[in-house]
Amino acid sequence: MTRLLQLCFLFLSFSLFGQQGGMWVPSLLEGMNEDEMKSLGMKMSVEDIYSVNQSSLKDAIVHFNGGCTSEMISGQGLLLTNHHCGYSLIQSHSTLENDYLEHGFWAGSLAEELPNPGITATFIIRIEDVTDQILEGVTPSMDEAAKKQLIEANTATVVRDSPKESYQENRVRAFYEGNQYMLFVVETFKDIRLVGAPPSSIGKFGSDTDNWVWPRHTGDFALFRIYADKNNRPAEYSEDNVPYTPRHFLPISLDGVAEDDFTLVFGFPGTTDEYLPSIAIDQLVETLNPARIAIRDAALAIVDEYMRADPEIKIQYASKFARIANYWKKWRGETLGLTKSDAAGVKRAQEQALTAEINRTGKQEEYGDLLPLMEQYYTEIEPYALAREYFLETVLRNGELLRTAFQVYQLMQVYEYRGAQAFSDRRDNLLKSFQSQFKNYNSTLDREVFEALIELYSREVPDRFLPASMKNIDAAQWTKEVYNHSAFVDYESLAQILSGDGDAVAKKLNADPGFQITSDLADAYFDKVAPTYDQLQLKISGLERDYMRALLELSPSDSRLFPNANGTLRVTYGQVKGYSPADAVYYEPVTHLEGVMEKYVPGDYEFDVPEKLIELYEKKDYGPYAEDGKIAVNFIGTNHTTGGNSGSPALDAHGNLIGINFDRVWEGTMSDYYYDPALSRNIMVDIRYVLFIMDKYAGAQHLIEELTLVHPKQETSKKRKKKKKKRKRRAKK
């Protein structure tokens, strides 16, 4: 075999991107996807999954507040998602006297369900391909800025002119790096009420230690209800609203799962970058992730110490700590997985094969410069990308005073460029949000975080990107000056400094050390980092669009070239599977309540277990939810998931609910960039554990009565027995 043929063979092989990987648009499943799903055991049709003209599974799938997925499980608007998706809402209703995070919450009636202002639940009504309309007038000779401007104008026209009901909304999203565009018609409900949540000792069992880890034993679920107006349409909160009647809700299987069972996960995955070039993977592993991890290492150590010492701080910072720790651990696992699977090496082989295919087909003029230019621009952008990560992590994501001061910095930009009225409106909205933020703020804790992060920033950010005031600083002295004299340490002083007209506010802010430091950091970032970063990123985006087009054009027709996740409705399918993360180690695919008890540490905030759950375990009082005398808690599968799939329903071969997706295994978190079927596993709560907690632990039988419980495996077995009997009777005749 010649070298060229070897490379072409590699290209054809690697373009498959691993069996079962992929996040597919549900309206485009006919053909290869349907055949593969049926080969894995699916008993439904693709029309059962997505249909515009009749009720289908997609009508039960809900985008929960724009960040998680949820699903309808009753005809009375009952909505199921993850405990961690509702965590901040549960926290917002909690006090020291009535701590729903610690003790759980269960509404005994509709009247007891708790409103959550500002929370939304969005349904997809239909999906249409609008690529031709969006790319109308776009030519290869146009520069990237001109292309972007025309695409944005065309998108606005499509959104405005596409048919919809008055209570619906049109949204357009790019696919395949801008080679395809889809229109989504959606309905968004705004009256979402908390119905039930287990205590964190169940819903967050294992907490940060077990996060991204298998074996797992977490009952990660919470219940909400969607309310609508009397016409079953979206409406703001009102006492006159009634429970929403969905187009479809999911029956719930009581039969459990076994290895090799078909699994379909339906949801709204957030962001993936499966087609990044090898140099981008190297940059992620060697430069960007280590910087992110180091910053969060410093912040988390301080927050954890305070939370363990003070119950009030524990409540205040529970949601924030979970958010920061989540991606800190994910990035560590991601780096490990990308290294272990040699993702960069695999992608280099793909790039070599693509180059050979470009040469073989005479496409050098169109695609010949793609890979060299991507290498050039990624090399140029690296120091700017590093400085950008330090700015985002320090100012916007981990330092609370800095984040608040940056919001005020943006307010003053509004005053400068949009005038007094815009300034006044923005200030009023900010003050409302600040009032809520300061409810969960501790200045002593934040002071220590500030000092640690500022010291890191001054040491690790390339010198040319630092503000002059930050060079050769004493971080301890800076911190003392800020927290002793800044108005940003409590709400009352902040409200006072923001009072008056724009000029008066500007004068007061310029004398505030917290604002001065934040302003220096922001000015340096926007002057020295952002312009070049944005210019290079625009060029890279254009190259990645062309690279994607080359893959689409030159790959075989049956290649698994699925679009990257972008927060739109997707289907991923696979099977229940164990895996081997290391030599001589194999993990079974299902965990049980016995594992909860094995991990139990009395009084520990991560591994404590409620007394009632211990009693139920000791008595084996499991109701109809046990199998072989045991309660399954979690299971894993080969479904390709990411952030945003939290709360996604896991469905069986017939479309019944068997679990709730909530995590991935640590070794497989690199699947945002490279899906490896040997290591990539998603983690799901067994739906029978959810029912067991609702029924036997919480005593919420009134909620169980709303559900439709089925036994698909038993029904299939009965049908097989009937067929067998018929064959025997025929044989006798």
Side-chain angles (χ1 to χ4, degrees):
M1 185 182 288
T2 67
R3 178 64 174 162
L4 176 60
L5 287 176
Q6 288 175 332
L7 287 172
C8 288
F9 176 77
L10 273 173
F11 177 62
L12 298 181
S13 301
F14 283 125
S15 68
L16 298 178
F17 288 92
Q19 187 180 13
Q20 294 178 31
M23 301 174 178
W24 306 96
V25 179
S27 59
L28 303 174
L29 292 174
E30 290 184 358
M32 179 195 76
N33 294 123
E34 183 174 17
D35 293 341
E36 185 177 30
M37 286 190 284
K38 288 187 174 178
S39 75
L40 294 171
M42 186 181 79
K43 306 302 181 186
M44 300 175 284
S45 69
V46 294
E47 183 79 3
D48 295 324
I49 296 171
Y50 176 91
S51 176
V52 174
N53 300 316
Q54 61 186 31
S55 170
S56 59
L57 288 177
K58 65 104 171 149
D59 297 312
I61 315 304
V62 190
H63 207 181
F64 187 76
N65 205 35
C68 286
T69 303
S70 56
E71 49 274 1
M72 304 307 305
I73 58 171
S74 87
Q76 293 83 51
L78 196 60
L79 180 146
L80 181 64
T81 190
N82 285 153
H83 185 270
H84 77 258
C85 292
Y87 196 76
S88 63
L89 305 177
I90 302 166
Q91 179 195 32
S92 71
H93 293 295
S94 297
T95 62
L96 279 173
E97 296 76 25
N98 202 7
D99 189 349
Y100 298 139
L101 288 176
E102 182 173 352
H103 303 297
F105 170 80
W106 302 94
S109 65
L110 296 180
E112 294 178 9
E113 296 174 357
L114 302 177
N116 299 281
I119 302 303
T120 59
T122 301
F123 292 85
I124 304 298
I125 305 305
R126 69 176 186 274
I127 307 171
E128 297 176 11
D129 190 315
V130 292
T131 306
D132 290 344
Q133 297 97 303
I134 300 299
L135 295 181
E136 185 177 359
V138 176
T139 64
S141 62
M142 298 170 69
D143 65 34
E144 288 303 320
K147 286 180 183 178
K148 183 179 178 183
Q149 186 175 12
L150 182 54
I151 287 170
E152 288 175 351
N154 289 345
T155 299
T157 300
V158 170
V159 167
R160 183 193 66 216
D161 295 345
S162 297
K164 65 175 181 65
E165 300 295 337
S166 60
Y167 50 88
Q168 296 173 341
E169 179 186 353
N170 289 331
R171 300 174 181 175
V172 171
R173 297 289 183 267
F175 291 74
Y176 294 111
E177 277 55 65
N179 286 286
Q180 183 184 40
Y181 289 84
M182 307 291 282
L183 170 72
F184 293 81
V185 181
V186 306
E187 286 181 13
T188 298
F189 290 79
K190 299 178 181 179
D191 186 352
I192 317 300
R193 305 183 195 179
L194 177 62
V195 174
S200 294
S201 52
I202 292 173
K204 206 171 181 285
F205 182 79
S207 193
D208 303 300
T209 298
D210 274 6
N211 191 23
W212 304 105
V213 168
W214 186 259
R216 196 71 174 273
H217 301 85
T218 310
D220 196 348
F221 77 95
L223 292 158
F224 293 80
R225 195 183 303 277
I226 299 176
Y227 282 74
D229 67 15
K230 293 179 180 179
N231 296 314
N232 206 41
R233 293 176 179 175
E236 297 288 347
Y237 170 80
S238 169
E239 292 183 1
D240 295 330
N241 287 345
V242 296
Y244 170 66
T245 303
R247 296 175 179 86
H248 181 73
F249 64 89
L250 301 176
I252 296 174
S253 171
L254 289 175
D255 289 344
V257 300
E259 185 125 24
D260 296 328
D261 276 1
F262 175 81
T263 54
L264 185 146
V265 172
F266 215 152
F268 293 85
T271 303
T272 58
D273 277 303
E274 302 289 341
Y275 305 101
L276 284 179
S278 58
I279 188 173
I281 299 299
D282 285 334
Q283 191 175 102
L284 191 70
V285 169
E286 297 167 10
T287 303
L288 301 184
N289 273 358
R292 295 163 170 165
I293 292 165
I295 297 166
R296 296 202 179 194
D297 270 339
L300 285 168
I302 295 165
V303 178
D304 180 66
E305 182 180 354
Y306 275 84
M307 286 177 66
R308 289 179 181 274
D310 189 324
E312 184 174 2
I313 292 176
K314 182 181 175 182
I315 292 175
Q316 288 178 319
Y317 279 78
S319 179
K320 289 182 277 193
F321 184 89
R323 173 182 53 80
I324 296 169
N326 187 45
Y327 267 79
W328 164 78
K329 195 167 186 178
K330 187 255 189 186
W331 289 326
R332 293 170 63 222
E334 181 178 271
T335 299
L336 176 69
L338 289 171
T339 303
K340 182 179 176 66
S341 61
D342 189 25
V346 171
K347 287 177 179 288
R348 272 189 282 274
Q350 292 172 358
E351 290 157 11
Q352 291 171 9
L354 177 61
T355 299
E357 187 71 3
I358 289 169
N359 293 335
R360 187 186 71 81
T361 55
K363 296 286 184 176
Q364 294 93 332
E365 186 174 345
E366 289 177 73
Y367 303 126
D369 291 336
L370 278 177
L371 291 166
L373 284 174
M374 279 203 284
E375 179 140 0
Q376 174 189 330
Y377 291 140
Y378 267 106
T379 301
E380 290 179 17
I381 205 173
E382 181 169 319
Y384 296 92
L386 177 63
R388 180 176 182 270
E389 287 300 328
Y390 267 98
F391 180 79
L392 295 176
E393 286 293 314
T394 301
V395 177
L396 299 185
R397 296 174 183 158
N398 293 285
E400 293 190 88
L401 181 145
L402 289 168
R403 181 170 61 249
T404 301
F406 181 73
Q407 290 175 284
V408 174
Y409 173 87
Q410 291 177 304
L411 171 67
M412 300 317 294
Q413 299 296 306
V414 167
Y415 177 57
E416 182 176 351
Y417 294 107
R418 295 175 56 191
Q421 186 59 52
F423 166 80
S424 180
D425 293 343
R426 178 73 172 268
R427 175 179 56 189
D428 292 345
N429 290 332
L430 269 181
L431 285 171
K432 290 178 184 176
S433 68
F434 288 156
Q435 194 165 25
S436 175
Q437 289 176 29
F438 273 95
K439 174 188 174 186
N440 295 316
Y441 176 73
N442 183 283
S443 63
T444 306
L445 181 159
D446 192 48
R447 180 181 187 134
E448 288 195 36
V449 172
F450 177 93
E451 182 174 342
L453 298 192
I454 286 295
E455 196 280 327
L456 257 178
Y457 197 100
S458 65
R459 187 178 73 238
E460 300 296 337
V461 172
D463 192 67
R464 59 186 160 135
F465 300 135
L466 290 174
S469 60
M470 191 176 244
K471 295 178 181 179
N472 302 314
I473 65 159
D474 181 335
Q477 185 59 40
W478 254 35
T479 303
K480 183 178 179 181
E481 174 68 16
V482 169
Y483 284 81
N484 286 353
H485 302 290
S486 176
F488 286 82
V489 295
D490 65 72
Y491 177 76
E492 288 73 20
S493 59
L494 180 55
Q496 178 59 38
I497 204 173
L498 292 180
S499 63
D501 62 27
D503 288 340
V505 171
K507 184 176 181 180
K508 287 184 283 186
L509 288 172
N510 288 334
D512 185 278
F515 184 80
Q516 286 176 334
I517 288 169
T518 308
S519 182
D520 286 350
L521 287 168
D523 286 345
Y525 173 76
F526 288 116
D527 290 343
K528 301 176 181 181
V529 179
T532 303
Y533 177 87
D534 291 343
Q535 289 171 10
L536 290 169
Q537 190 58 54
L538 186 63
K539 292 178 181 179
I540 288 170
S541 296
L543 290 170
E544 289 179 344
R545 181 196 60 238
D546 294 343
Y547 179 58
M548 189 74 247
R549 188 170 71 246
L551 288 173
L552 291 168
E553 181 180 339
L554 299 176
S555 294
S557 59
D558 61 350
S559 295
R560 301 182 59 81
L561 293 172
F562 52 90
N564 274 317
N566 60 0
T568 59
L569 188 61
R570 304 293 181 89
V571 164
T572 172
Y573 49 86
Q575 292 177 306
V576 176
K577 288 279 189 186
Y579 76 112
S580 179
D583 183 45
V585 176
Y586 178 76
Y587 286 137
E588 297 288 341
V590 181
T591 62
H592 299 85
L593 188 56
E594 282 75 6
V596 174
M597 299 308 161
E598 289 168 2
K599 291 179 177 179
Y600 170 39
V601 180
D604 185 89
Y605 88 96
E606 294 185 303
F607 294 104
D608 203 358
V609 176
E611 285 186 19
K612 186 168 184 180
L613 186 59
I614 295 173
E615 291 173 9
L616 291 168
Y617 169 73
E618 291 176 343
K619 294 177 181 178
K620 300 295 183 281
D621 185 6
Y622 298 150
Y625 313 114
E627 182 177 2
D628 298 327
K630 300 171 74 174
I631 283 285
V633 177
N634 296 154
F635 64 96
I636 53 174
T638 60
N639 303 86
H640 188 174
T641 61
T642 188
N645 276 122
S646 291
S648 288
L651 307 174
D652 67 8
H654 305 277
N656 303 306
L657 186 64
I658 53 175
I660 318 166
N661 187 82
F662 72 99
D663 208 352
R664 284 175 283 168
V665 302
W666 201 49
E667 300 86 354
T669 51
M670 83 293 186
S671 61
D672 286 352
Y673 303 100
Y674 175 63
Y675 176 87
D676 184 342
L679 293 175
S680 298
R681 295 291 182 273
N682 63 308
I683 306 177
M684 296 157 276
V685 187
D686 192 299
I687 196 62
R688 294 169 300 171
Y689 189 58
V690 173
L691 297 174
F692 162 69
I693 296 298
M694 290 169 61
D695 186 349
K696 307 301 288 186
Y697 178 85
Q701 287 84 7
H702 62 292
L703 297 177
I704 298 290
E705 290 170 3
E706 280 193 45
L707 311 177
T708 298
L709 307 179
V710 297
H711 285 280
K713 288 183 179 180
Q714 291 182 18
E715 291 301 317
T716 300
S717 178
K718 288 178 183 177
K719 288 178 182 178
R720 285 175 181 165
K721 287 179 181 178
K722 286 181 180 179
K723 287 182 180 179
K724 190 174 182 180
K725 287 180 180 179
K726 285 182 180 179
R727 285 197 296 268
K728 284 183 178 179
R729 286 197 294 267
R730 288 172 186 162
K732 287 179 180 178
K733 290 179 181 178

